[in-house]
Amino acid sequence: MNKLVKVMDELNSNAGDFKYKLNEVNIANNWNPTANSGKDFGGFNYCSEDCILRWLHRGNVIYDVEIPKDAENIKIEGATTIYRTNKIIIKNPRKVDDDLALYFYKISNIPEKSYYKALGVVSIMNYTKTAHEILKDKVNKENINEVLDEWNNFISHDGKNDRKNICSLVDKIERKLYKIKEC
C-alpha cells in the first residue's frame, strides 16, 4: 500500500472544529462506523497518496498518517477510496504547492472520472502546472461533456458558486474547456 496521508488547513479540521495534535494520538469526539451518511460517521478521513489528488482542496498542508494498533478503521469505496478511523497520528507536515500537487497527479491512481473533478480541485487551489497537465492528459473532444459535468458540479459547489471566482486559474481553465467543446 502507498503511504497514508491527510490534507488539512494547518492543524485544523475543515470538516469540523477538531484541532489536531502533531505526533500524538488524536481521538475522535464522534465515531459511528455503522452510520449511513459521512457526516454521521465521525472519525478522521485519510487516504493513500495515489488518491489524495482529488482531496487537495481540503487544505494547504499534507501529513503522513499512522493508525494506532487499537484504532477502529473502515474503508469507504466511492469515486476514490477513503478510510476513516477513530484514532489517528499525523506527522511530517508539508506545505502543498503546485510541485507537490503535480507529484500527486503523476502517482495518482483514481478512476478516470475523478480526474475531471480533480481538475476543478487543483484549479481552485491555483496549482497552474497541475491543472494544465491534467487538462492536456485527460480532456479531449470525446469526453468533454462528462468533464464539464464534473467540473460544473464541483465549481458550482451545490449552487453556492463560491468557487467560481476564487482565482483567475478557474476562469482560464473553464474557458479552455468550453473551447474544446466548441471545436
Side-chain angles (χ1 to χ4, degrees):
M1 177 183 257
N2 288 319
K3 184 188 300 186
L4 300 175
V5 292
K6 180 172 184 64
V7 66
M8 298 186 298
D9 290 321
E10 303 300 331
L11 288 171
N12 299 310
S13 168
N14 54 17
D17 60 0
F18 193 87
K19 177 124 175 122
Y20 288 77
K21 296 172 278 182
L22 190 61
N23 299 314
E24 295 181 36
V25 175
N26 293 276
I27 301 172
N29 297 329
N30 176 32
W31 176 243
N32 182 5
T34 60
N36 291 324
S37 77
K39 189 188 297 185
D40 296 332
F41 276 121
F44 306 108
N45 288 338
Y46 66 96
C47 65
S48 59
E49 275 189 322
D50 63 350
C51 290
I52 197 67
L53 177 73
R54 166 64 182 82
W55 302 102
L56 290 180
H57 67 293
R58 297 290 183 142
N60 60 358
V61 178
I62 192 124
Y63 296 88
D64 294 340
V65 165
E66 182 181 317
I67 303 303
K69 288 182 180 15
D70 65 338
E72 292 180 53
N73 209 24
I74 58 173
K75 182 178 183 178
I76 302 170
E77 298 285 351
T80 59
T81 300
I82 297 292
Y83 300 92
R84 280 199 191 202
T85 186
N86 65 331
K87 296 179 183 178
I88 194 170
I89 301 168
I90 57 167
K91 23 179 160 173
N92 190 24
R94 294 155 333 268
K95 274 285 198 205
V96 180
D97 61 13
D98 200 4
D99 291 327
L100 188 54
L102 186 58
Y103 165 78
F104 289 133
Y105 169 59
K106 289 182 177 182
I107 67 162
S108 64
N109 182 21
I110 57 180
E112 192 67 23
K113 188 175 181 177
S114 294
Y115 286 106
Y116 312 153
K117 195 150 303 206
L119 178 60
V121 168
V122 298
S123 295
I124 69 166
M125 298 304 291
N126 207 25
Y127 301 144
T128 305
K129 291 186 287 190
T130 310
H132 286 278
E133 196 75 15
I134 294 171
L135 185 69
K136 177 180 65 99
D137 293 347
K138 300 294 182 181
V139 181
N140 57 58
K141 184 76 173 155
E142 289 74 43
N143 68 5
I144 190 61
N145 288 331
E146 187 175 17
V147 171
L148 281 168
D149 285 347
E150 292 298 310
W151 170 271
N152 289 325
N153 175 272
F154 182 78
I155 296 300
S156 76
H157 197 199
D158 295 326
K160 296 177 198 162
N161 286 319
D162 56 344
R163 295 176 173 162
K164 189 93 170 148
N165 298 310
I166 283 181
C167 64
S168 64
L169 182 60
V170 173
D171 184 57
K172 287 177 189 170
I173 296 298
E174 186 167 83
R175 280 188 276 123
K176 288 182 179 196
L177 291 172
Y178 280 100
K179 189 172 183 173
I180 292 169
K181 182 175 175 69
E182 291 169 8
C183 291

